[in-house]
Amino acid sequence: MTPLIKLEHIDKQFLGVRALTDVNIEFYSGEIHALVGENGAGKSTMIKIILSAYKPTAGKIYLEGNEVKISSPLEASRLGIEAVHQELMLVPWLSVARNIFLNHELKLPKTNLFDIQKMEKRAKELLDSFGIHIDVKRPVKEYSASVWKMIDIARVVNLNPKMIIFDEPTAILSEREVDCLMEKIRELRAQGVAIIYISHRLQEIEKLADKVSILRDGRLVGTMPGENLNEDEIVKHMVGRDVANFYSRNINPQGEELLRMENLTLKKGQKDISLTVHRGEIVGLAGLVGAGRTEVAESIFGMNRILSGSLYYKGEKIKPRSVSSMIDRGAYLVPENRKYEGLILRFSVAANIALSAFKHWSRFFYNHKKEQEYAQKMIEAMSIKTPGTKQTVGNLSGGNQQKVVIGKAMVTQSEFLIFDEPTVGVDVGAKEEIHNLMDDFVRNNGGILMISSDLPEIIGMCDRVYIMYEGRIVKELARDELSDKNIADYMLGSKGRESA
């Protein structure tokens, strides 16, 4: 059988840095082929070569048995090759329907006028098939990041391509949305679509993949069949070593109270929010996407106005006015949406890391030497894969961008940190590094409030967990009460609704 896409002896170099070395791989129609590897292993570079966003330094590409030299992503799209990128690729102020048909608008007969009614009808049918029931006439900016992702996936599926590349498609999705997406991917496979599936969630790979290829340091180190996958073996190939325990915590004595919320009602609709965070502990905030977790975090930084109730920070009753005022108090938020809220993509790694803390070293003149020192320190601490401190952060892989966002938090000398989905889109090795940094932070008398949709992460890392359901905190669980079932029962509303 002829592969749909074949890469032969592919090399790629950037300014002397070798991103891919002698990669040979084939992708077939009607097959789900998973790509795994650490951040910076070369996965994104490979798919950008397939999409012709990058040109290979050496090697050949074959499409249905014929050597091709695809000139641009637009030509790749015309040949039937599409991608759902890790970063959200929508126009916020356009409607859901217009985004789904962007550059492929339906026209009224014998005119150049858009057939808005037909596009809205088809967009609704498509999203309904994903289990997403929303008003397609409204702008996408009114919806959550997880809904954005499903709209973006629907946009690509609507084009009926021969190949779809899914790059971390489930990182911000709820469990229900993940199940809907997996069912849709299986349907696409049955229709003969070639699927390249990139994910750090090995349990998804285990459920979906017909084949798994592993990249490490730009080299293809192995391909194995999807049946009877051994996750430990995959991890060992990915990182070149055993990762015995992803969630290694040193449980500390609870220190003084850092943050207390008492019966907060918020402008975005969350009610009766009460929680505490002390020095020396990591406190989890769990719940389905849309339950209100991020909105609670935003209220601490004045981004979601408090209508009633009380907020105390280090024993002082406060009314947060801005993010900068809370940073000055020793608090910092690592946001969920790194691209739009956590980074300036056109700035260097050093400039991004320095942004949150330059007041500490600059007075009348900006101290570039200090900027470089702080940046280099965080690059080493976070194992950020970059040619240097001056590399443009937008050119890094998604996982390494996430490390830069966390590096920004770590140089602020803060006492209290909020991590909103801290390990979204990062590999197992990077996840371990981030967890170790979090553990070190609380061991050194800091306190952390962590929002995560990853239940093993919540269970493994947290001292206590508050669970939200439909805008309210319905339960607080101690560490010895944490289990998948116990948390899920409250997240899904099976328990706790009577107290909400």
Side-chain angles (χ1 to χ4, degrees), residues 212-270:
V212 179
S213 290
I214 302 161
L215 287 166
R216 187 171 78 239
D217 296 329
R219 296 179 181 273
L220 183 66
V221 296
T223 297
M224 58 185 70
E227 55 192 33
N228 303 318
L229 279 177
N230 184 321
E231 289 189 18
D232 290 339
E233 194 66 21
I234 292 174
V235 171
K236 188 174 181 179
H237 281 300
M238 281 172 58
V239 301
R241 60 186 174 85
D242 289 313
V243 182
N245 189 350
F246 300 153
Y247 307 107
S248 180
R249 273 297 313 282
N250 294 293
I251 304 304
N252 309 294
Q254 190 182 86
E256 67 175 331
E257 181 182 276
L258 274 173
L259 179 84
R260 175 158 43 104
M261 295 179 166
E262 288 185 352
N263 305 313
L264 295 191
T265 297
L266 306 178
K267 186 177 181 180
K268 292 183 181 177
Q270 295 71 36

Side-chain angles (χ1 to χ4, degrees), residues 256-261 275-283 296-297 299-301 311-314 318 326-327 329-334 409-410 412-419 441-442 444-450:
E256 67 175 331
E257 181 182 276
L258 274 173
L259 179 84
R260 175 158 43 104
M261 295 179 166
L275 60 79
T276 60
V277 180
H278 296 79
R279 294 185 187 276
E281 65 176 355
I282 299 174
V283 176
V296 169
S299 71
I300 300 168
F301 290 85
L311 177 64
Y312 296 86
Y313 183 69
K314 293 196 284 190
I318 63 170
M326 290 305 294
I327 291 175
R329 290 177 182 271
Y332 197 85
L333 169 65
V334 178
M410 292 301 181
T412 59
Q413 302 173 9
S414 299
E415 300 168 272
F416 173 66
L417 298 177
I418 298 178
F419 286 90
F441 181 80
V442 295
N444 290 319
N445 215 27
I448 291 175
L449 179 64
M450 181 177 76

Side-chain angles (χ1 to χ4, degrees), residues 195-449:
I195 305 291
I196 299 178
Y197 193 86
I198 299 171
S199 179
H200 294 303
R201 296 182 173 183
L202 297 185
Q203 65 272 26
E204 293 176 10
I205 301 293
E206 187 176 11
K207 290 177 183 177
L208 275 178
D210 300 305
K211 282 182 187 171
V212 179
S213 290
I214 302 161
L215 287 166
R216 187 171 78 239
D217 296 329
R219 296 179 181 273
L220 183 66
V221 296
T223 297
M224 58 185 70
E227 55 192 33
N228 303 318
L229 279 177
N230 184 321
E231 289 189 18
D232 290 339
E233 194 66 21
I234 292 174
V235 171
K236 188 174 181 179
H237 281 300
M238 281 172 58
V239 301
R241 60 186 174 85
D242 289 313
V243 182
N245 189 350
F246 300 153
Y247 307 107
S248 180
R249 273 297 313 282
N250 294 293
I251 304 304
N252 309 294
Q254 190 182 86
E256 67 175 331
E257 181 182 276
L258 274 173
L259 179 84
R260 175 158 43 104
M261 295 179 166
E262 288 185 352
N263 305 313
L264 295 191
T265 297
L266 306 178
K267 186 177 181 180
K268 292 183 181 177
Q270 295 71 36
K271 296 181 179 179
D272 296 329
I273 305 299
S274 297
L275 60 79
T276 60
V277 180
H278 296 79
R279 294 185 187 276
E281 65 176 355
I282 299 174
V283 176
L285 192 57
L288 298 176
V289 172
R293 301 167 303 167
T294 296
E295 289 78 4
V296 169
E298 289 173 346
S299 71
I300 300 168
F301 290 85
M303 301 159 66
N304 185 9
R305 192 154 63 89
I306 297 170
L307 300 181
S308 64
S310 301
L311 177 64
Y312 296 86
Y313 183 69
K314 293 196 284 190
E316 177 188 356
K317 187 174 181 179
I318 63 170
K319 290 186 178 180
R321 301 297 184 191
S322 66
V323 173
S324 59
S325 68
M326 290 305 294
I327 291 175
D328 290 341
R329 290 177 182 271
Y332 197 85
L333 169 65
V334 178
E336 176 184 12
N337 193 332
R338 61 175 171 256
K339 182 175 180 180
Y340 293 105
E341 298 172 355
L343 297 170
I344 301 177
L345 296 179
R346 67 181 184 276
F347 281 19
S348 69
V349 172
N352 270 278
I353 289 174
L355 275 174
S356 58
F358 72 89
K359 290 196 231 195
H360 294 305
W361 63 72
S362 289
R363 293 294 182 265
F364 299 109
F365 300 99
Y366 192 77
N367 191 328
H368 287 281
K369 184 179 177 182
K370 281 285 186 183
E371 174 192 89
Q372 296 298 315
E373 287 176 359
Y374 273 71
Q376 190 59 45
K377 179 180 178 182
M378 291 318 306
I379 286 169
E380 292 170 4
M382 300 292 299
S383 298
I384 299 170
K385 292 185 179 177
T386 173
T389 59
K390 295 181 180 180
Q391 171 71 12
T392 302
V393 81
N395 292 337
L396 300 183
S397 68
N400 282 297
Q401 288 179 6
Q402 181 73 354
K403 290 183 182 182
V404 173
V405 176
I406 293 172
K408 285 175 61 182
M410 292 301 181
V411 300
T412 59
Q413 302 173 9
S414 299
E415 300 168 272
F416 173 66
L417 298 177
I418 298 178
F419 286 90
D420 193 350
E421 302 288 3
T423 59
V424 163
V426 305
D427 58 73
V428 290
K431 183 178 285 192
E432 184 183 39
E433 291 163 358
I434 291 168
H435 290 159
N436 288 339
L437 282 166
M438 294 170 70
D439 192 35
D440 288 343
F441 181 80
V442 295
R443 192 164 63 249
N444 290 319
N445 215 27
I448 291 175
L449 179 64

